[in-house]
Amino acid sequence: MMAQYSNLKTEAGDCLLFYRMGDFFELFFEDAKIAAGVLDIALTTRGEHAGEPVPMCGVPVHAAENYLARLIRAGCRVAIAEQVETPEEAKARAKREGTPSSKALVKRDIVRFVTAGTLTEEALLEPRRANMLAAVCDLRGTCGVAACDISTGAMQLEECEPQRLPAVLARIGASEIVVPEGWNDMPVDAVVRPRGDFSSDRGEAQLKKVHGVATLDGFAQFSRAMLAAAGGLVAYLEHAGRGDLPLLLPPTLRASGGHMAMDEATRASLEILASQQGGRSGSLIAAIDRCVTGAGARQLAEDLSAPLAERAQIEARLALVDYMLGDPLLRGDLRTILRSLPDIGRALGRLVAGRGSPRDLGQIRDGLGEARRLHELLKAKGERPALLDQLLPSLAGHGELTDLLSRALVPAPPTERQSGGYIAQGYDAALDELREVSGSARRAIAAMEARYRSETDTPSLKIKHNGVLGYFIEVPSKHADKLMDADSGFTHRQTMANAVRFNSLTLHEEASRIAEAGGHALAAEESHFEELVDRIAARREAIAATAAALARLDVAAGQAERASDGEWCRPRVSEEPMLAIEAGRHPVVEAALAANGERFVANDCSLSEKDRLWLVGGPNMGGKSTFLRQNALIVLMAQAGGFVPARSAHIGLVDQLFSRVGASDNLARGRSTFMVEMVETAAILSQASERSFVILDEVGRGTSTYDGLALAWAVAEAIHETNRSRCLFATHYHEMARLADSCDALSLHHVRAKEWKGDLVLLHELSEGAADRSYGLAVAKLAGVPAPVVKRARSVLDKLEKGRAETGGIAAGLGELPLFAAAMEAEEEECDTLREKLEGVDVDALSPREALDLLYELKREI
Ligand code: ADP
């Protein structure tokens, strides 16, 4: 057994090996220690290996799914080794091979790898979250990325420059990433696969084979890098399924310019799908999501992760939301129907992957039937927005399949296939007959019981059934003698403590009829099951399109519902680099305040080419971060095609959104936080364009006052002069107000605060002009710092302020500093005189002495 185990373990690689032994999956050695720790189950030992007891733990097969879910969530991957022959077959084989039958070991094979990215089981998936698997590779300086959600089969290919890969992966949010061997900069926990898997020719051939097409041109024009990544992805799926592929729909191409780009730091700081604490609660999606189906919630998450960058597409989504908002009755009916809808996309995924159940067939039947009802409901309405017209045809057209499934299946098919009972009466005459046979035999047995009772004069006689003996006759011990008689017609089978069990020829005959008919009936149901799955698989793309259309409708109706609850408005979208938000609110903060009965103060924001950088000052806790984020979120929500929390909003399309938070807010991240802040700031300065929107919150806070102010100053100037993006810049350095003197498209704003009877009142109201003071001590007092400490701080502050008055403060002289761009030019010019001089030198013509003099001269000039 050890030899078999270690062969399988080698094959399993770094996956935990679930080794099937009877009714248990057992784990050994290191695997056992890891699993016992994660699952909190007993770690025992079994036998010895190399003189040491072998650590072992096990989980019962019938409860394996639950344990698997916990292991996967803890980041483990699992290889399942099943017994692929029965003990009898093993004994027969041993006999043929001439080994003693006591040594016959049941053959085992890895039948499947269960990993975070390759799940289809309902119990292992979260209904409202997509489960993505991604494969990446590089080809001549470009990264190819293939991503799919195998629970629904959706697959997308794209490519990007290597430096943008982290942002792309952040958008996809894969639960598992596959990379080729030797990949630099490997994401943590990535799965490494042979380079040969990532070949573009192979990828192309595999996709053609999966979709039965001679060319992929009908889907889109994919680049070599994309196909290479697709090759890696399909090869990994094949590996995980041991040759069986899950549902894969035709790949779609994700063009790089079609979406608003956001990098990982931006996503994290805007808390789009998860809050900084990691959960869904407190995130943007939690504040928006009113979808009534899991598929709708997954579509909304995708919309928010990849907001659109094309006006026409955004308008199409907005028009659908508007339509639903304008017709509350229709919306209500639609949502009622959607609410009862099964997740047909995932049911389809399970069926095609070969892990489906009769219940999944029933879900497809019900889902497609309801889709048809929705089709009727929506078709009956007159004026329809274009997107709805586009979606409508996908909702219908499954009549033949739904009819078939309705005829074939019982109303509520079971989740288990083994015991049959899911094919409806009247669908197959032969099956009905088999059922009739076992039915009549059962009735015969019931009649037999009555007959035997009177014949033997034993009213307590019973005919029973169990898994070991099958049918048998049981009487209490004291009545057993009559039946023991040689010519009583009964044969003795078993004596229990208080009862004795018998058989009879007639019982045996009826029981055989039941068993035989039952076996045939099961086989007949099984073959119907397979045929129904084939029929569904043949229409996989049309069913997936229906699922997608239903999800889109749910998103639009949910957005409308949210908008009507919160008095949100339809944003106007245009191409100019501007932003005009009237009475904007932060959806998450507003909800949190409302929960405490507090009111959110709405604020305006208006950026234009002439006034594109707002410097926002004011006391801590005054609402600066909230203001910055609410505007970024409003842009994001608008471009995702939804309504926004504002009185009105006019959004000039944004190509890239950047959000950065000063270091001290990110202490939990472990790396030197100031370093992180600067790396992230560097990324903005190198990438943000005139069409981008940047929010910077307290940049430079993570270092000393002088360094911090200097950096914040230079960064604000660079964005103003070089990137020319729309930008909101929050800072507590009120010295920065002087930037307004030199930067003409920069204006000063602050969140208002008042001191009233010695206490600070934060008004959370944005106002024009620089903040007059920082109110730091007042905030400290508000926070409960003891009065003597605040008093002491006040006297230190007085001293400092006196010093500032005498010297002009730390920002003295900054007003005369040349602007960023001008300064850069001047510095470049200086470099250029050096360059010119060097270029003019004929090195071969110099004597050693002259060369040394020249070196001194150049050094002096620097
Ligand atoms: P700052 O960035 O200036 O330190 P925050 O934006 O973090 O301040 O806001 C601090 C708190 O003030 C928030 O948690 C929220 O409770 C409250 N707040 C912020 N903005 C508003 C607003 N517009 N209306 C009402 N309360 C607000």
Side-chain angles (χ1 to χ4, degrees):
M1 193 193 112
M2 257 320 140
Q4 186 190 50
Y5 175 83
S6 58
N7 282 340
L8 289 170
K9 182 60 200 167
T10 312
E11 219 179 308
D14 52 4
C15 299
L16 302 180
L17 182 66
F18 265 38
Y19 184 85
R20 175 79 182 251
M21 295 178 81
D23 291 336
F24 277 81
F25 284 119
E26 305 286 7
L27 295 104
F28 300 104
F29 300 104
E30 275 312 300
D31 288 3
K33 291 185 193 163
I34 296 172
V38 173
L39 300 173
D40 197 16
I41 53 176
L43 184 67
T44 57
T45 57
R46 178 194 165 107
E48 275 194 1
H49 182 71
E52 298 276 330
V54 177
M56 173 183 106
C57 68
V59 303
V61 170
H62 67 87
E65 233 176 49
N66 173 18
Y67 289 108
L68 273 174
R70 283 159 61 193
L71 287 170
I72 302 288
R73 243 176 263 134
C76 302
R77 290 181 292 133
V78 178
I80 310 256
E82 282 284 3
Q83 297 174 187
V84 292
E85 61 183 7
T86 60
E88 292 72 37
E89 284 167 338
K91 279 194 191 118
R93 186 167 49 81
K95 203 165 167 196
R96 281 198 307 279
E97 289 165 3
T99 32
S101 72
S102 60
K103 289 257 170 67
L105 184 63
V106 174
K107 226 190 231 163
R108 290 178 178 84
D109 252 336
I110 295 180
V111 294
R112 189 185 158 201
F113 290 90
V114 186
T115 70
T118 60
L119 302 173
T120 51
E121 286 84 349
E122 214 170 347
L124 306 188
L125 290 167
E126 284 179 44
R128 296 181 94 79
R129 263 190 60 190
N131 190 42
M132 303 299 292
L133 170 70
V136 297
C137 69
D138 51 340
L139 201 78
R140 290 182 221 104
T142 306
C143 286
V145 183
C148 78
D149 180 349
I150 70 157
S151 70
T152 59
M155 179 171 185
Q156 241 174 22
L157 306 182
E158 64 191 293
E159 63 175 28
C160 65
E161 292 151 19
Q163 69 268 25
R164 298 201 67 90
L165 184 64
V168 169
L169 290 176
R171 187 197 74 236
I172 295 171
S175 39
E176 194 173 4
I177 299 177
V178 187
V179 301
E181 285 165 323
W183 182 265
N184 319 327
D185 251 350
M186 195 151 65
V188 227
D189 297 339
V191 181
V192 183
R193 300 294 302 161
R195 271 225 165 240
D197 286 358
F198 295 78
S199 117
S200 59
D201 288 337
R202 209 171 133 180
E204 184 174 354
Q206 277 165 322
L207 289 180
K208 283 182 188 163
K209 194 169 124 211
V210 169
H211 300 294
V213 291
T215 160
L216 299 176
D217 294 349
F219 301 150
Q221 295 290 331
F222 301 113
S223 70
R224 303 315 296 172
M226 294 178 197
L227 292 171
L233 185 88
V234 177
Y236 181 64
L237 287 173
E238 234 166 15
H239 158 80
R242 305 293 275 169
D244 285 339
L245 276 180
L247 167 65
L248 287 177
L249 296 168
T252 53
L253 183 136
R254 182 181 276 272
S256 54
H259 296 269
M260 183 174 96
M262 289 182 280
D263 55 21
E264 194 175 357
T266 301
R267 286 169 197 280
S269 95
L270 291 179
E271 307 184 284
I272 301 173
L273 300 186
S275 73
Q276 300 270 10
Q277 283 77 42
R280 198 174 195 264
S281 107
S283 66
L284 174 67
I285 190 166
I288 300 182
D289 185 5
R290 292 292 162 89
C291 292
V292 293
T293 68
R298 299 198 296 272
Q299 182 62 57
L300 177 65
E302 152 115 46
D303 288 1
L304 294 175
S305 305
L308 301 167
E310 279 168 23
R311 204 177 138 202
Q313 287 183 16
I314 298 170
E315 291 291 355
R317 283 190 195 167
L318 288 172
L320 185 58
V321 178
D322 213 353
Y323 175 77
M324 303 266 187
L325 186 69
D327 193 341
L329 279 180
L330 174 75
R331 186 170 84 236
D333 291 347
L334 177 82
R335 283 163 61 84
T336 308
I337 297 182
L338 285 171
R339 198 169 279 126
S340 66
L341 212 71
D343 199 331
I344 53 174
R346 285 194 166 168
L348 178 69
R350 286 189 293 274
L351 287 166
V352 175
R355 292 178 211 137
S357 72
R359 181 162 162 264
D360 293 320
L361 295 178
Q363 292 200 343
I364 299 274
R365 171 197 62 194
D366 300 342
L368 295 181
E370 290 299 283
R372 177 161 196 94
R373 261 182 71 203
L374 275 179
H375 182 261
E376 301 298 318
L377 177 76
L378 295 167
K379 205 180 62 180
K381 297 275 162 182
E383 283 280 290
R384 282 189 300 266
L387 181 55
L388 185 53
D389 269 336
Q390 236 177 63
L391 297 174
L392 265 186
S394 310
L395 295 181
H398 301 291
E400 209 177 309
L401 181 62
T402 21
D403 284 352
L404 173 70
L405 291 170
S406 305
R407 272 189 296 115
L409 296 170
V410 299
T415 47
E416 291 289 328
R417 208 158 119 189
Q418 289 89 318
S419 14
Y422 48 88
I423 295 293
Q425 190 80 22
Y427 178 66
D428 171 0
L431 176 63
D432 290 348
E433 212 173 292
L434 288 168
R435 285 179 175 159
E436 177 48 37
V437 170
S438 41
S440 75
R442 278 200 181 87
R443 284 191 296 279
I445 289 177
M448 207 181 295
E449 187 180 66
R451 202 174 76 231
Y452 285 160
R453 278 182 189 168
S454 66
E455 278 175 16
T456 59
D457 198 18
T458 316
S460 49
L461 177 148
K462 285 198 179 77
I463 297 187
K464 292 184 167 176
H465 182 268
N466 73 23
V468 182
L469 297 183
Y471 283 94
F472 54 84
I473 301 148
E474 187 177 283
V475 292
S477 309
K478 57 178 187 256
H479 298 295
D481 286 351
K482 285 179 252 176
L483 284 76
M484 283 291 195
D485 226 357
D487 38 58
S488 64
F490 297 98
T491 41
H492 174 257
R493 295 199 69 186
Q494 202 176 26
T495 301
M496 318 287 292
N498 300 316
V500 184
R501 292 169 172 179
F502 297 90
N503 201 357
S504 79
L505 196 60
T506 11
L507 178 63
H508 178 74
E509 275 167 6
E510 293 298 348
S512 313
R513 269 175 63 200
I514 293 179
E516 197 180 328
H520 287 150
L522 266 188
E525 290 207 53
E526 193 66 18
S527 83
H528 287 308
F529 180 85
E530 273 160 25
E531 198 209 316
L532 293 173
V533 172
D534 283 348
R535 295 284 289 270
I536 287 172
R539 291 187 56 77
R540 61 178 84 182
E541 282 166 39
I543 297 173
T546 306
L550 290 168
R552 175 55 67 207
L553 286 173
D554 190 20
V555 170
Q559 290 266 28
E561 190 75 14
R562 186 65 188 89
S564 108
D565 283 355
E567 292 177 39
W568 292 8
C569 74
R570 175 174 177 169
R572 222 176 105 200
V573 181
S574 69
E575 304 279 347
E576 307 105 80
M578 52 86 67
L579 191 66
I581 295 168
E582 220 189 315
R585 280 123 53 203
H586 189 301
V588 180
V589 176
E590 186 180 23
L593 289 176
N596 294 330
E598 289 170 48
R599 208 173 56 83
F600 188 90
V601 181
N603 279 305
D604 299 348
C605 175
S606 117
L607 301 174
S608 64
E609 231 172 332
K610 290 203 182 66
D611 181 16
R612 59 184 127 81
L613 199 160
W614 277 23
L615 214 53
V616 182
N620 274 325
M621 290 301 286
K624 299 184 295 297
S625 313
T626 307
F627 176 71
L628 262 53
R629 279 160 218 241
Q630 84 190 25
N631 290 297
L633 292 178
I634 286 174
V635 167
L636 188 156
M637 290 158 72
Q639 292 195 208
F643 280 35
V644 297
R647 189 181 315 130
S648 76
H650 183 174
I651 315 260
L653 281 178
V654 167
D655 67 344
Q656 302 178 75
L657 180 64
F658 292 97
S659 166
R660 291 298 184 274
V661 183
S664 56
D665 277 5
N666 278 345
L667 279 176
R669 287 177 127 193
R671 264 208 275 170
S672 151
T673 51
F674 180 63
M675 180 69 186
V676 173
E677 179 185 339
M678 285 301 118
V679 167
E680 292 178 359
T681 308
I684 297 188
L685 295 176
S686 69
Q687 291 169 24
S689 79
E690 275 182 41
R691 289 168 53 81
S692 305
F693 183 40
V694 179
I695 62 171
L696 288 167
D697 194 359
E698 302 276 10
V699 161
R701 180 163 50 172
T703 183
S704 74
T705 309
Y706 278 85
D707 284 1
L709 172 58
L711 279 165
W713 183 286
V715 168
E717 253 188 9
I719 290 184
H720 179 271
E721 295 294 304
T722 313
N723 302 91
R724 306 178 72 85
S725 317
R726 283 159 282 175
C727 175
L728 300 177
F729 195 115
T731 180
H732 68 280
Y733 296 120
H734 44 262
E735 293 82 358
M736 283 186 69
R738 299 203 192 169
L739 268 172
D741 301 337
S742 49
C743 299
D744 54 3
L746 177 150
S747 61
L748 304 175
H749 304 263
H750 66 279
V751 284
R752 286 184 57 206
K754 276 201 299 208
E755 251 180 303
W756 194 69
K757 289 189 184 164
D759 281 328
L760 182 71
V761 185
L762 299 166
L763 300 173
H764 304 300
E765 198 181 285
L766 205 79
S767 194
E768 278 185 28
D772 50 351
R773 350 193 326 228
S774 64
Y775 296 100
L777 299 190
V779 173
K781 188 175 164 203
L782 197 67
V785 173
V789 177
V790 176
K791 209 164 155 206
R792 174 72 182 149
R794 163 105 25 229
S795 61
V796 175
L797 180 66
D798 285 346
K799 275 252 153 37
L800 291 175
E801 284 184 338
K802 220 173 264 155
R804 179 164 67 190
E806 282 158 16
T807 60
I810 64 168
L814 285 183
E816 293 96 59
L817 209 59
L819 263 180
F820 181 74
M824 292 318 286
E825 258 168 45
E827 272 159 34
E828 239 162 60
E829 254 168 43
E830 275 167 33
C831 291
D832 280 355
T833 57
L834 276 183
R835 185 192 302 264
E836 270 166 32
K837 195 162 265 171
L838 265 177
E839 273 169 357
V841 172
D842 178 0
V843 179
D844 295 328
L846 292 179
S847 73
R849 172 77 216 197
E850 282 167 332
L852 193 61
D853 286 345
L854 180 69
L855 203 55
Y856 275 115
E857 193 187 324
L858 290 174
K859 183 93 199 244
R860 247 195 327 276
E861 257 178 63
I862 289 173

